[in-house]
Amino acid sequence: KGNSQAAISMLENALILAKNKAQVYEAIADIYYDTENLDKAVEYYSLALNEDCENPKIYSRLAMTYWEQDYIEKAIVYYSKAIELDASYDIAYNNLGVVFLDGLGDSKRAMEYFKTAVEINENYVLAHFNLARSHEALNEKIAAAKQYQKALNLNKIKKEIDDELIEQRLYKLFET
């Protein structure tokens, strides 16, 4: 509780006894990620992948870590691998869409990933929000408004983002 170094030390000791080291490496990597030690997070996610190269969650977390470090190409590779391993991984689709939208400015390609995330999980607030952002980037105001409204409605049930952020984006669409 609040002592990441003690947790890491305990987990590193657990590696001696663990049969499934991937889970322990992943837990250590998560702590490093949460404490913004991204180089160490990459190191431990990579160790986890060496132990379990079929785990889409680890690929996705490694992709997120690379994204945080502005390694766009690596983020694309690892999110794509996560999707290859689990074609129903809505979070990986959404996050890959964010890489294309915010990292490469490719709104059309991003939109396809957001649409897939929404098809997989129609209640995924953040995917609807990001789909709206991609419509907005393409100056498709009506489609963007519908998606922002959908995100806002869903967010009342399953709080994923701040309502105010969605409302600001929605109202901004039609300002003159």
Side-chain angles (χ1 to χ4, degrees):
K1 291 187 175 184
N3 189 343
S4 58
Q5 286 308 316
I8 289 169
S9 180
M10 189 178 262
L11 287 165
E12 285 176 341
N13 286 329
L15 284 169
I16 298 166
L17 303 172
K19 288 184 180 183
N20 183 350
K21 293 183 185 323
Q23 290 177 335
V24 180
Y25 286 136
E26 183 181 0
I28 294 169
D30 288 345
I31 294 169
Y32 280 126
Y33 181 85
D34 290 343
T35 58
E36 299 180 12
N37 189 339
L38 300 180
D39 290 333
K40 288 298 256 184
V42 165
E43 177 185 337
Y44 278 90
Y45 285 133
S46 297
L47 289 169
L49 282 178
N50 287 339
E51 296 287 323
D52 182 3
C53 64
E54 298 295 315
N55 187 328
K57 182 180 169 190
I58 297 170
Y59 282 99
S60 185
R61 293 201 180 197
L62 186 54
M64 184 170 34
T65 305
Y66 281 132
W67 169 246
E68 292 290 326
Q69 294 177 306
D70 292 324
Y71 294 127
I72 293 171
E73 295 80 15
K74 287 184 178 185
I76 291 170
V77 167
Y78 285 95
Y79 279 131
S80 297
K81 182 64 176 178
I83 290 167
E84 179 185 316
L85 291 170
D86 182 359
S88 65
Y89 197 176
D90 55 343
I91 294 169
Y93 281 104
N94 178 70
N95 291 353
L96 187 53
V98 169
V99 172
F100 278 98
L101 182 63
D102 296 335
L104 297 176
D106 188 343
S107 304
K108 286 185 179 185
R109 187 130 181 228
M111 186 180 293
E112 295 308 313
Y113 290 112
F114 298 138
K115 283 181 179 178
T116 302
V118 167
E119 287 169 9
I120 293 167
N121 180 358
E122 65 185 34
N123 296 318
Y124 192 175
V125 176
L126 197 52
H128 283 285
F129 178 79
N130 286 325
L131 181 55
R133 290 192 317 117
S134 62
H135 281 296
E136 183 179 358
L138 294 168
N139 204 29
E140 299 169 352
K141 291 183 178 187
I142 301 300
K146 287 179 181 178
Q147 287 301 315
Y148 282 133
Q149 189 61 56
K150 179 95 173 178
L152 191 59
N153 293 344
L154 288 170
N155 205 48
K156 303 273 188 233
I157 300 163
K158 184 181 173 201
K159 195 79 160 163
E160 288 183 27
I161 54 180
D162 185 13
D163 283 345
E164 193 174 308
L165 176 62
I166 302 170
E167 290 169 349
Q168 287 173 352
R169 299 290 297 241
L170 179 60
Y171 300 144
K172 187 180 130 199
L173 285 174
F174 300 102
E175 288 179 351
T176 54

